[in-house]
Amino acid sequence: MVQHPEVLWAQRSSEADAAKNVVYLTVNLPDIQESSLKYNLTATSISFEAMAGSEQPREYKFDLEFFGEVIPEDSSSKFSSRSFKVILRKKELKLEYWPRLTKEKVRNAFLKTDFEKWVDEDEQDGAAEVEEDEGFSGFPPGGPGGMGGMGGMGGMGGMGGMGGMGGMGGMGGGMEGMDIEKLMAQMAANQGSSSGQAADDNDGDDSDDDGPPPLEDAEPSK
């Protein structure tokens, strides 16, 4: 049986700053199976569908038509093991809030106000900015939203630059002018000297390194 996940929302508005003219959506759904996640954002709606649950996965989905239009290409999303977050960019720049999230004035039991992010319309100027974790990515046209943005991890391919360590081979070039036979003879002489010294050290070794001395017996009390 298909169920609705809990969806929280809040908003900000501005007639001059598009970055502050947004809607915050959070789908509270732990243990989302990433391979099953499907969602789509248009100028007038959003759809979501996924399997979630660690022991007995269930299917969750919802569809919402917005009160006003948004700009999908300027919106962003973030997927995690606990939730799916979306920041929607409102199309119309204006100070007034949307009176509700949905186009139709109907009550959705799964749709709730996000009081952690909500501020009243006339208190926006003095309110602290919403702090979101990093990792939000855009909604590619025609694609399943933020999931496509995760492909950015491919940038780690830049680690291939470590191949530059091969430059250490250049050390060989500095040895070309050296007398190899003389060098080998010197190394052999040094090795023999080191071995003789190590033997002398071992001969003079006593039991000092065998550990701490035993504790003395305490004198009997009188």
Side-chain angles (χ1 to χ4, degrees):
M1 179 179 177
V2 178
Q3 301 185 29
H4 291 126
E6 181 184 59
V7 180
L8 307 179
W9 83 289
Q11 63 177 319
R12 297 288 188 275
S13 62
S14 175
E15 62 181 356
D17 189 349
K20 295 182 179 180
N21 195 51
V22 297
V23 171
Y24 299 102
L25 279 185
T26 300
V27 182
N28 276 337
L29 192 59
D31 300 317
I32 299 175
Q33 295 183 359
E34 183 177 345
S35 60
S36 68
L37 180 58
K38 299 177 183 178
Y39 56 92
N40 185 50
L41 176 66
T42 71
T44 57
S45 67
I46 186 172
S47 63
F48 172 94
E49 180 179 350
M51 298 291 293
S54 57
E55 296 182 358
Q56 294 181 343
R58 297 181 179 180
E59 184 178 6
Y60 294 84
K61 66 183 302 183
F62 70 85
D63 296 274
L64 292 174
E65 286 192 77
F66 301 131
F67 176 82
E69 291 190 28
V70 301
I71 307 175
E73 55 269 26
D74 291 341
S75 301
S76 57
S77 63
K78 179 184 178 182
F79 166 77
S80 72
S81 61
R82 296 179 300 172
S83 63
F84 175 66
K85 297 182 179 182
V86 182
I87 301 178
L88 304 170
R89 186 72 61 86
K90 298 177 185 176
K91 183 176 182 179
E92 183 179 4
L93 291 170
K94 59 186 301 185
L95 285 176
E96 292 79 12
Y97 271 0
W98 287 359
R100 56 185 178 274
L101 176 63
T102 58
K103 180 179 180 180
E104 302 296 333
K105 193 175 182 179
V106 295
R107 179 176 176 78
N108 294 302
F110 67 92
L111 186 59
K112 303 176 182 180
T113 301
D114 190 341
F115 289 105
E116 291 187 359
K117 299 176 182 176
W118 188 276
V119 296
D120 292 335
E121 181 180 317
D122 57 354
E123 297 179 350
Q124 294 185 85
D125 292 339
E129 295 185 5
V130 175
E131 294 185 3
E132 293 285 1
D133 296 333
E134 297 181 357
F136 278 81
S137 56
F139 284 86
M147 291 293 293
M150 294 180 68
M153 292 183 68
M156 293 180 68
M159 292 181 68
M162 293 180 68
M165 293 180 67
M168 293 179 66
M171 294 178 63
M175 298 179 65
E176 291 179 357
M178 298 181 64
D179 188 333
I180 300 301
E181 293 183 358
K182 182 178 180 181
L183 177 63
M184 295 298 291
Q186 183 178 355
M187 290 176 63
N190 290 338
Q191 183 176 3
S193 176
S194 299
S195 299
Q197 182 178 358
D200 293 340
D201 292 342
N202 290 333
D203 291 341
D205 189 20
D206 50 28
S207 60
D208 289 346
D209 294 334
D210 292 340
L215 296 174
E216 296 180 358
D217 295 335
E219 295 184 3
S221 59
K222 295 181 181 179

